[in-house]
C-alpha cells in the first residue's frame, strides 16, 4: 500500500507492505539508520522516535500506522548542523559511550521534557524504564537530561 | 591554549556522530546486491542430527543457497581456541572440534545447524523454516554440578566426565600446613550465576568478495579485528591475511562477548566468496541470547584459615566452572588463569591453593565477560572474608585492615603467580569509608527500621590484574600468540597527526583519550590529532581491546611511538638549528637548543621532514615523520580500591533496593576523569545487575534457555539505581610508561561482592550468612523465611 507521512519535516510517499515496521521503513527504506533496533520484544527503547510529538518505539509500530503522521528521528532533531540542547547536554555530561542506545535515549528525553519541563532525578529514572543502556550505568544520562531540560527551559 | 592533554576532562570527539544518528555500525552498512543470511539453530540442548533436508528451502523464492555441515566439510575448519590451558597433570585441556555448523550432534539450544542465504531477510527467514532437520533427542545436562556427576549425559565420546581440564594453582602442601595450624577456618559454598553480556548492538557481519583480486572484506562487530582476521581467515577459511580485510566500524558495546570469534563471521565470509555477492547477517536479540558467549557460571567451595588475631593464614578454593558446549576463543582461560591467581586479593595470605574443574555442559559456551574471572575471584574472597569476620566476631573493616598488603610492601609477590607493582589499600579504604559515611551507618539503619525496612552495608577491598598482557607470561599460561599492542603515529606534512592504534573502541572513547595522550606528548592541540582504529587495512597488527588493556598497553604503545617521533624530530632540529642532537630539547611542542631561544616548532619540523630544506641531511636521515611501535608490557597492571554499598530490604516482599554506592579506585594515572567516571559507573552497574537481577537460567530437564529475552532476563534499568559516588586514587603503575592501570573492569569486579555483602548484612539479624546472586525478591524472601523457621542458636 502507498502511505504518506512526514519524516523530519519532509513529506514522504512510500509503498509499504502491510507488515513493515516503522523502524524498518526508517532504517531500510529511508536510510535513516540513527534509529536503532536492539531487541525483538519492545523492551530496549533503542528505536524510539517521535510520532506527532510523542515518543514511540518504532519497532512496535507498523509503518502503515504512521501514515499521515509526522515522525521525527534522531537525524531530524538538530537544525542546520547545530546540536539540539538535549544532544548538547548528552555531549557535555558524557551521557553516551558506545552510542547504540543513544538515539533512543535522546528522543525519549526530548519527549519527557516536553511533558515535564523540570523533571526530578527520580522522574527521569522512572521515565527511562523503557530504555536500556548497557554502557553508562545511566548516571550521566540522568545528569544529561536534567541539564538538557534546564537548557530548554532557558532557551 | 586550553590544556587538553593528560588529565583533562575533555568531552568526546566521537560524540557528535552518535548524537546525530550518524554512527556507522555493521547493522547500518548496506552493499549493492547484498544477500541476507539467517541461521537455523537447534531447538534441542543435546541431540543427534539424523538428517538434514534442505530441498524445500532451496526451492523457496529468493533463496541463493542453503549450507549445512555437509556442505562446508573440508572447506571451513572448526572454530579455534586462542588460549589452551594445561591441567595439573601437565596435560593439555581437552579441545574437541567446534564445527561452524553442527556436525553429527547439537550441544546446546541455539547451536547453528544450517545457514540460509537469500535476496531478502524475509525470504531467508521463510526458507529457514523449510529446512527439515530430524533429531534424536538425547538427555541434556546444563548445571555444572550435575555435569561432573557419574552417569551424567556426556557431550563428547572422548571427554570422560565432561571434564575439559582439571586445573590448579598454588602450593597445596603449604596451604595444608597453614590450615593445620589455624585457629579458625571459615567455610563457604557459593554460586556465581551465569550472565548474558547483552551489548546493545547485537552481533552482525557483512562480508564481500572481490573476484578480480580475490580479496575479502568483512565488516564485523568485533573487539579485535586483527585477531579475528587470523583466526577466521588463516585458521578457519584458509584466506591469507594479505587477501582479507577485517573492519570493525562503530561497535555498540562488547564487554568481552565480541572478543570471541564466532562461526557466523566465517560462514558469512565464505558464502560471500562462493556466491560472489555481499552477504549480511544481523543477530536478533533472541538469537544473541542463544549464540553470544555467556559469562561466569561457577560453583565453589572455599575455606579461609585464620589465626587468633584474624590474620589470614591460608586459602583453599575448589571451583567447578561451566564452559558450555564448546571451547570458546578464550573460554577455558577465564575461570583458570584469570581467576585462581586473583584469589590473593589485596591481602597478605601466605598460602593459597585453588583447583578448578573446567566442565562442558549443554549450554551456550562461556567466555570473557567484563571482569572475566576476576569478579568471580573477588566474590569468593570478599564473601569469605565477611563470613570469617562474622564468625570471629571481628569488625569487617578491621579484619581487612589487619590483612591488607601494606603500601611499603610493594612490589608484592603473591603465592599465586602475580607480582603486584604498586598500591595503597589503606588509603583507598579510608577514603571509601569517609565518602560512604560508614561510621554513621547506624543512624541510617535505624531510620530504615523505623520504616519497616532492613538496611545493610557492605564493603570490598579488591585488587585486580589487567593490562593484558605480558606476552611471555601469557604464553607460558597457554596463550597461542603475543598480547602486545601496536601504534603508528603519522605526522602529516602540515603538522597534524593521525594515530593508528591496534586497540579498538566500542564505547571507551579512544578517539578522545588517545588524542589527549598524543597532544600531551607531542604538544599539539588535541583537535589536530585523529585516532584511527578498527581496520586491518589501516592499522599495524594489534590485539584489540579487552581486559582493560587499551590505555595500559595501547596507550603505552602510543607513548613509545611518540618517543620515536621526538627522537627523529630532534635529529631534524639539530640539522636545521645547526646544533648537536644532544643539545636539542623537546618541550611544549617545540624543539629548542638548550639554553638558547633558538627553536623550531613541531609543525616546522614536520614540514621539513616532508619538504627537506637544503640543511636537511638526506644522505644520513630519511625524510618523513612517521613511526610505529609495538609495546609488550613486562607485567600486568593492578588497579585496586575499595567499594561500599548500602541496600534496603523489604522483609515482607524480599525486594532489595540499592540505596547508596561508593567506589574509590586506584587506577594509576587518569587520562580523562570524565571517561574514567563513565567506565566506573557502567562497570559498577553491570555488577549490580548480577547481584540484584540478572540471571541466565536453563531448564534443567529440557536444557531450554528460560531467560532468553529482555522480558525474562532482567537488565538493570535507570530506576534500579542510586547515584554512584566515584573517586579515583593514584599510585602510578611502576612499569607502564604512562603510569596507567586501567579502569574498564574495576566496577564489575568489585560491585557484585560489595552489594552481596550489604545484602547479607541487612539480613544478619535473621542469622542469614550467605545469599546467592541474584538477590531477587524471591530468593531474599526465602532466605528470610528459612531463617525465621530455624531455631535461634543463642
Ligand atoms: S528495538 Fe524497539 S524496543 Fe527494542
Ligand atoms: S551507550 Fe552503549 S548502550 Fe548506552
Amino acid at each position: 500500500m502507498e502511505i504518506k507521512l512526514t519524516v523530519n519535516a519532509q513529506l514522504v510517499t512510500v509503498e509499504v507492505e502491510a507488515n513493515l515496521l516503522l523502524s524498518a521503513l526508517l532504517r531500510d527504506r529511508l536510510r535513516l539508520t540513527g534509529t536503532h533496533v536492539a531487541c525483538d520484544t519492545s523492551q530496549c527503547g533503542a528505536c524510539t522516535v517521535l510520532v506527532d510529538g510523542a515518543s514511540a518505539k518504532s519497532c512496535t509500530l507498523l509503518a502503515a500506522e504512521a501514515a499521515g503522521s509526522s515522525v521525527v528521528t534522531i537525524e531530524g532533531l538538530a537544525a542546520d548542523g547545530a546540536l539540539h540542547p538535549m544532544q548538547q547536554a548528552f555531549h557535555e555530561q558524557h551521557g553516551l559511550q558506545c552510542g547504540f542506545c543513544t538515539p533512543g535515549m535522546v528522543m525519549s528525553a526530548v519527549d519527557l521534557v516536553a511533558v515535564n519541563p523540570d523533571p526530578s532525578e527520580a522522574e527521569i529514572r522512572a521515565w527511562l524504564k523503557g530504555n536500556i543502556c548497557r554502557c553508562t550505568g545511566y548516571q550521566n544520562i540522568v545528569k544529561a537530561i536534567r541539564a538538557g531540560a534546564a537548557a530548554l527551559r532557558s532557551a | 591554549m586550553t590544556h587538553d592533554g593528560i588529565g583533562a576532562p575533555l568531552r568526546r570527539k566521537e560524540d557528535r556522530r552518535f548524537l546525530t544518528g550518524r554512527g556507522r555500525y555493521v547493522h547500518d552498512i548496506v552493499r549493492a546486491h547484498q544477500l541476507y543470511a539467517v541461521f537455523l539453530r537447534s531447538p534441542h540442548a543435546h541431540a543427534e542430527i539424523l538428517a538434514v533436508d534442505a530441498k524445500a528451502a532451496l526451492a523457496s523464492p529468493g533463496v541463493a543457497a542453503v549450507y549445512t555441515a555437509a556442505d562446508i566439510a573440508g572447506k571451513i575448519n572448526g572454530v579455534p581456541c586462542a588460549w589452551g590451558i594445561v591441567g595439573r597433570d601437565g596435560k593439555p585441556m581437552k579441545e574437541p572440534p567446534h564445527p561452524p555448523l553442527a556436525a553429527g550432534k547439537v550441544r546446546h539450544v541455539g547451536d547453528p545447524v544450517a545457514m540460509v542465504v537469500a535476496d531478502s531477510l524475509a525470504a531467508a527467514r521463510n526458507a529457514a523454516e523449510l529446512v527439515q532437520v530430524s533429531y534424536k533427542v538425547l538427555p541434556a545436562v546444563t548445571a555444572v554440578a550435575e555435569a561432573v556427576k557419574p552417569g551424567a549425559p556426556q557431550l563428547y565420546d572422548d571427554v570422560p566426565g565432561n571434564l575439559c581440564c582439571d586445573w590448579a594453582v598454588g602450593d597445596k602442601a603449604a596451604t595444608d600446613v597453614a590450615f593445620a595450624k589455624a585457629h579458625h577456618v571459615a567455610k563457604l559454598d557459593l554460586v556465581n550465576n551465569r550472565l548474558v553480556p547483552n551489548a546493545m548492538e547485537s552481533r552482525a557481519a557483512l562480508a564481500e568478495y572481490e573476484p578480480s583480486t580475490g580479496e575479502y572484506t568483512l565488516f564485523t562487530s568485533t573487539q579485535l579485528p586483527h585477531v579475528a582476521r587470523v583466526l577466521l581467515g588463516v585458521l578457519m577459511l584458509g584466506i591469507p591475511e594479505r587477501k582479507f580485510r577485517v573492519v570493525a566500524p562503530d561497535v555498540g558495546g562488547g564487554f568481552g562477548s565480541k572478543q570471541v570469534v564466532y562461526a557466523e563471521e566465517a560462514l558469512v565470509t565464505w558464502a560471500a566468496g562462493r556466491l560472489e555477492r555481499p552477504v549480511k547477517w544481523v543477530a536478533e536479540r533472541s538469537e544473541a541470547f542463544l549464540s553470544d558467549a555467556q559469562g561466569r557460571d561457577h560453583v565453589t567451595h572455599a575455606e579461609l584459615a585464620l589465626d587468633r588475631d584474624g590474620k589470614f593464614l591460608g586459602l583453599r578454593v575448589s571451583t567447578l566452572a561451566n564452559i558450555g558446549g564448546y571451547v570458546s576463543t578464550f573460554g577455558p582461560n577465564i575461570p583458570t588463569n584469570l581467576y585462581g591467581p586473583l584469589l590473593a586479593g589485596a591481602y597478605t595470605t601466605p598460602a593459597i591453593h585453588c583447583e578448578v574443574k573446567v566442565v562442558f555442559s549443554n549450554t551456550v559456551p562461556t567466555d570473557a565477560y567484563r571482569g572475566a574471572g576476576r569478579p568471580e575471584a573477588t566474590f569468593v574472597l570478599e564473601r569469605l572474608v565477611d563470613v570469617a569476620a562474622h564468625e570471629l566476631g571481628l569488625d569487617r573493616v578491621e579484619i581487612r585492615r589487619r590483612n591488607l598488603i601494606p603500601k611499603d610492601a610493594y612490589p608484592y609477590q603473591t603465592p599465586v603467580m602475580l607480582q603486584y607493582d604498586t598500591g595503597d589499600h589503606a588509603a583507598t579504604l579510608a577514603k571509601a569509608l569517609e565518602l560512604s559515611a560508614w561510621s554513621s551507618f547506624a543512624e541510617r539503619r535505624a531510620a530504615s527500621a523505623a520504616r519497616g525496612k532492613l538496611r545493610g552495608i557492605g564493603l570490598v577491598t579488591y585488587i585486580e590484574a589487567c593490562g593484558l598482557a605480558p606476552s611471555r607470561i601469557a604464553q607460558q599460561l597457554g596463550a597461542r600468540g603475543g598480547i602486545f599492542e601496536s601504534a603508528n603515529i603519522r605526522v602529516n606534512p602540515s603538522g597534524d597527526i593521525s594515530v593508528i592504534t591496534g586497540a579498538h573502541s566500542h564505547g571507551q572513547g579512544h578517539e578522545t583519550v588517545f588524542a589527549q595522550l598524543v597532544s600531551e606528548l607531542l604538544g599539539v592541540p588535541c583537535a589536530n590529532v585523529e585516532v584511527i582504529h578498527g581496520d586491518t587495512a589501516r592499522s599495524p597488527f594489534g590485539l584489540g581491546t579487552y581486559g582493560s588493556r587499551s590505555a595500559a598497553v595501547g596507550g603505552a604503545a602510543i607513548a613509545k611511538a611518540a618517543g620515536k617521533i621526538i627522537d627523529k624530530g630532534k635529529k631534524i632540529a639539530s640539522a636545521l638549528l645547526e646544533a648537536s642532537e644532544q643539545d636539542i630539547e623537546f618541550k611544549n611542542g617545540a624543539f629548542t637548543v638548550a639554553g638558547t631561544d633558538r627553536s623550531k616548532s613541531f609543525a616546522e619540523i614536520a614540514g621539513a621532514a616532508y619538504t627537506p630544506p637544503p640543511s636537511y641531511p638526506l644522505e644520513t636521515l630519511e625524510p618523513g615523520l612517521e613511526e610505529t611501535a609495538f609495546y609488550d608490557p613486562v607485567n600486568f597492571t593492578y588497579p585496586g580500591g575499595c567499594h561500599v554499598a548500602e541496600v534496603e530490604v523489604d522483609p515482607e516482599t524480599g525486594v532489595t533496593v540499592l540505596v547508596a554506592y561508593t567506589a574509590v579506585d586506584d587506577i594509576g594515572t587518569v587520562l580523562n576523569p570524565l571517561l574514567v567516571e563513565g567506565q566506573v559507573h557502567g562497570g559498577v552497574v553491570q555488577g549490580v545487575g548480577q547481584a540484584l537481577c540478572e540471571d541466565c537460567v536453563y531448564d534443567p530437564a529440557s536444557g531450554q534457555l528460560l531467560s532468553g529475552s529482555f522480558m525474562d532476563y532482567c537488565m538493570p534499568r535507570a530506576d534500579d539505581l542510586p547515584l554512584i559516588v566515584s573517586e579515583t586514587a593514584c599510585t602510578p603503575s611502576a612499569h607502564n610508561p604512562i603510569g596507567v592501570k586501567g579502569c574498564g573492569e574495576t566496577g564489575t569486579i568489585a560491585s557484585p561482592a560489595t552489594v552481596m555483602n550489604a545484602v547479607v548484612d541487612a539480613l544478619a539479624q535473621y542469622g542469614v550468612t550467605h545469599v546467592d546472586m541474584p538477590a531477587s525478591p524471591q530468593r531474599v524472601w526465602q532466605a528470610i523465611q528459612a531463617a525465621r523457621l530455624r531455631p535461634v542458636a543463642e
Side-chain angles (χ1 to χ4, degrees), chain A residues 96-102 132-136 141, chain B residues 200 252:
Chain A
L96 64 153
Q97 292 182 23
C98 80
F100 207 77
C101 72
T102 309
I132 303 178
C133 174
R134 193 52 147 171
C135 298
T136 64
I141 293 177
Chain B
M200 291 313 290

Side-chain angles (χ1 to χ4, degrees), chain A residues 6 10 17 20 37 42-43 45 55 60 81 86 96 104 112 153:
Chain A
T6 306
Q10 286 198 317
E17 304 82 49
L20 187 77
V37 173
S42 279
Q43 302 265 303
S55 59
T60 312
M86 193 57 79
L96 64 153
L112 167 63
R153 282 199 305 279

Side-chain angles (χ1 to χ4, degrees), chain A residues 27 31 33 36 38 40 43 74 81 87 91-92 94 96-100 125 129 134-139, chain B residues 11-12 15-16 19 25 27-28 196-197 200 285-286 369 674 678 681-682 694 710 716-719 724:
Chain A
R27 288 182 52 80
R31 294 293 296 143
T33 55
H36 296 158
D40 42 18
Q43 302 265 303
I74 190 74
Q87 290 169 315
H91 174 60
E92 289 297 332
H94 186 35
L96 64 153
Q97 292 182 23
C98 80
F100 207 77
R125 288 183 183 273
K129 259 192 193 111
R134 193 52 147 171
C135 298
T136 64
Y138 303 98
Q139 186 149 322
Chain B
R11 272 54 184 172
R12 298 199 317 171
D15 284 356
R16 193 181 174 88
L19 283 166
Y25 303 87
H27 288 212
D28 305 331
V196 182
M200 291 313 290
R285 180 60 53 187
S286 327
Y369 170 56
L674 196 69
H681 292 165
E694 294 180 39
F710 288 145
R717 310 263 178 161
D719 62 343
I724 295 161

Side-chain angles (χ1 to χ4, degrees), chain B residues 9 77 85 95 158 160 187 212 249 287 300 347 359 365 389 410 413 441 449 559 622 784 786 794:
Chain B
N77 294 321
I85 58 167
E95 194 175 349
D158 49 356
K187 299 180 181 177
S212 67
E287 192 175 15
T300 294
Y347 309 116
V359 180
Y410 287 93
Q413 178 63 51
F441 173 69
E622 293 175 15
I784 294 171
E794 291 129 288

Side-chain angles (χ1 to χ4, degrees), chain B residues 332-348:
Chain B
N333 183 47
I334 309 302
T336 52
N337 291 314
L338 294 185
Y339 170 72
L342 276 298
L343 287 164
Y347 309 116
T348 54

